[in-house]
Each structure stands twice: as structure tokens, then as C-alpha cells.
Amino acid sequence: MAPGSVLIVSESADLHASAMTATLREQHGLTPIHLDLRDFPTEFGSFRVDRLGTTRSLSHLIGLDEVGAVWWRRPHPSVVPAGVRAADDAYRQAECDAFIQGLLWSIPALWVNDPGADRTAGRKIVQLETARRAGFAVPETLITNDPDEARGFVESRPGPVVYKRTGTSRAEFSETRIIAATDYAKLAGIRSAPTTFQDYIAAECDLRVVWVDGVEWTVRIDSQAGVGRVDSRLDTSVEFRPDTLPASVSKSLATLMGALGLSFGVLDIRLGTDGEYYFLEVNPQGQFAYLEIKTGLPIFQSLGNLLVHGDGAVPEWTD
């Protein structure tokens, strides 16, 4: 692939995008194009088709037509330009989305991930159903906006139940918590915000797995040794170390990611005290830099190899 042929679509301040830029420069002598969709429509853009083919341009970028791979990392909606009336903004946003998404999605490149698959796979209900069919153990779960059904589910379970967000937008961080009797009075609030209720799995540890098109980078998190016993994201002071998955779990993982159409994703799996590996969720745009910092696993190099060569393998790390 020619220099400048990798496009990273993410917010300008995204540390993962910056780290990938450094990796591509150091490992492949390649400087990627970085696009923050909030730059449009401040910048000009055009798409043209004629008898010679098609051309794409954005006024602040060079080489868009030479892109061979795209990391669809963390796209943002465009920013409302000054002077646009609120009443006109829905129309403006729809036109901007239709243009910029069409401009980019029409690029015949390797997509990590395909935007359509990325959006569908980000729905937790889709994930849970697909994981179940792929052979994963999945904690018994109810997702609802019916307070009575939620209370009935919690009271019917033999052990503790956690509650957590159903969506995956970049809203304020929301902790996964065990529901207590004192929380019942708050259940009316789910009428306008469907909530996920799920059996709490007593854990031996938590696993965070970064999937790079068939290559598994698995990190074992000693979550039960700290304050993150329910939600492993709450304590990064515990031990993190590289690990591997049993062959049967790897098979379910490959089936799941293939069915979701994802070439990249960050998965949360909980190893129960019963020895079962429970699927919790997959984030197609998940965070993983801290895993590389803590374990030394070459995750950025793996993803860079995928973007440049179409293969995420890192030979010196192959078992």
C-alpha cells in the first residue's frame, strides 16, 4: 500500500488514533490521514462521477482517493455552523450525514470495521443473541423499560442481579452495579430509558480480549483482588497479564465476530468460579491502549499490520 493510504476517522484528541499514527510511522514508514468528522462542513467536500470514474475530495485532506484501508474508530456528527437556525438543523444534519458518510463509505477499501456492521454490532441485544447462538455462555438477562417486569425478574433470580446501560453512546460513564432493595423505588425511571438487568456472575477473574481479524490478544484481569469485583473497569491497579482462551471459547469467539461482521472489537468475558467463560459484551470501538501499556502485548502493531497488510499477525508473538 502506498504512503498515506490509511485513513483514521476519529476525534482529533483521540489518544488511540495518535498512538496508531505513531505506530504506522515507526513500523511502516506511513503517515495516515486523520479525519475528524466535526471538521465538516466547515471544510469543503465534493464527490464527482464521470466517464473516467469517481473522485472524492475534502479541502483539508490530501490523498482521499488513494486510501486503501480505513479505521472507523470514533466518528462524530458534524458541528452546527454559526448562523444555522435550530429549526433548520435537522435538515442540515441529514444532508451532511448523507454526503460525508456516502463519500467515505463508497471508498473501496479495507474497513476496520465496516460502518454498517459496526453500528449493528454495537447493539447489545444483537450481541447477546449472536453470542448465545455462537456457543457462548451468557448470563440470564432482561432488557426492559417495564418497571414491574424488571422487579419480577430481580426477585425471581436465585442470586444477585446487576443493572447497567443498554446503549453504547459516549455519554457519561455508567458503572455496572448490583441492584439492592433500596433501588426498587428508582425502577420507575427505566420507563424512558430501557435498562439491562443480568445475573451477577461470581468471578475468578475478568478477561478483556482484543480481536484483530482472527488474532486474539487476551488479558487476564485480577478484578476480584480490588474494588472492581462487579465492574472490572473501576480498578486498573490490580494485576493485568497476557493469557489465552480455551480452544472451545476461541471457536465461539471466531463464530461470534464472523456473524457480527467485525474485523476488530474489544470483548469483556468473565471467568466464573464455576469454570465457565461468560460473554458480557463486545465494543467495536473499544479502548485497549491501557492493556498494551500494562502487558506489553503488541496490539497497536497488530492492528497496524491489519490496516497495511490485511493481516493482524505479529510473527514474533506467534505461539
Side-chain angles (χ1 to χ4, degrees):
M1 295 172 65
S5 58
V6 172
L7 171 65
I8 300 174
V9 182
S10 188
E11 56 203 14
S12 298
D14 180 22
L15 296 178
H16 284 70
S18 298
M20 179 54 66
T21 296
T23 298
L24 292 173
R25 285 173 177 164
E26 294 168 6
Q27 298 286 332
H28 302 283
L30 183 157
T31 300
I33 303 168
H34 190 176
L35 172 61
D36 187 334
L37 294 185
R38 293 174 296 186
D39 292 337
F40 185 81
T42 303
E43 301 287 350
F44 296 112
S46 298
F47 173 81
R48 180 168 179 168
V49 58
D50 56 30
R51 61 185 180 82
L52 298 177
T54 58
T55 56
R56 303 163 186 81
S57 65
L58 289 170
S59 56
H60 62 309
L61 300 180
I62 298 175
L64 204 57
D65 276 328
E66 284 71 51
V67 166
V70 182
W71 186 19
W72 188 249
R73 163 66 187 158
R74 287 202 160 191
H76 272 275
S78 60
V79 176
V80 183
V84 175
R85 299 184 307 163
D88 297 330
D89 190 54
Y91 174 84
R92 179 209 65 80
Q93 184 66 59
E95 293 300 288
C96 284
D97 288 347
F99 171 78
I100 197 68
Q101 292 173 5
L103 180 78
L104 298 175
W105 297 355
S106 66
I107 297 174
L110 169 67
W111 282 82
V112 182
N113 289 298
D114 173 84
D118 190 283
R119 182 174 184 179
T120 300
R123 300 295 182 244
K124 291 184 181 178
I125 292 175
V126 174
Q127 296 178 13
L128 292 170
E129 169 62 18
T130 308
R132 183 190 65 81
R133 289 190 282 106
F136 267 109
V138 177
E140 190 151 338
T141 304
L142 172 69
I143 302 175
T144 185
N145 72 331
D146 183 334
D148 292 335
E149 188 171 1
R151 180 165 183 158
F153 175 80
V154 174
E155 292 178 338
S156 72
R157 305 308 302 151
V161 172
V162 300
Y163 64 100
K164 55 187 178 181
R165 289 187 62 203
T166 299
T168 57
S169 68
R170 298 183 201 95
E172 183 178 350
F173 174 80
S174 178
E175 177 186 345
T176 298
R177 298 181 179 178
I178 293 177
I179 192 166
T182 54
D183 293 319
Y184 290 164
K186 305 174 186 176
L187 286 176
I190 73 171
R191 287 295 301 272
S192 57
T195 300
T196 298
F197 301 88
Q198 191 172 68
D199 279 352
Y200 171 71
I201 303 299
E204 179 180 325
C205 68
D206 282 279
L207 301 166
R208 197 156 170 91
V209 184
V210 182
W211 170 270
V212 183
D213 199 33
V215 180
E216 300 168 9
W217 301 105
T218 303
V219 176
R220 181 186 180 103
I221 304 171
D222 189 16
S223 56
Q224 304 310 291
V227 299
R229 291 182 292 275
V230 176
D231 189 336
S232 65
R233 298 171 299 172
L234 297 177
D235 189 356
T236 58
S237 68
V238 298
E239 182 185 14
F240 284 59
R241 61 181 174 84
D243 205 347
T244 56
L245 298 173
S248 60
V249 179
S250 290
K251 181 179 179 181
S252 293
L253 176 54
T255 301
L256 168 67
M257 299 301 278
L260 292 175
L262 297 178
S263 54
F264 176 85
V266 181
L267 299 98
D268 290 318
I269 297 173
R270 173 157 279 209
L271 175 56
T273 53
D274 58 0
E276 188 67 80
Y277 288 77
Y278 291 90
F279 170 86
L280 298 181
E281 66 178 82
V282 55
N283 188 338
Q285 300 171 8
Q287 309 280 34
F288 60 90
Y290 73 105
L291 302 176
E292 178 163 326
I293 292 170
K294 285 184 168 291
T295 65
L297 289 173
I299 304 172
F300 277 101
Q301 183 179 350
S302 178
L303 181 54
N305 288 351
L306 176 62
L307 292 168
V308 176
H309 300 303
D311 185 348
V314 181
E316 60 267 31
W317 283 80
T318 303
D319 291 333

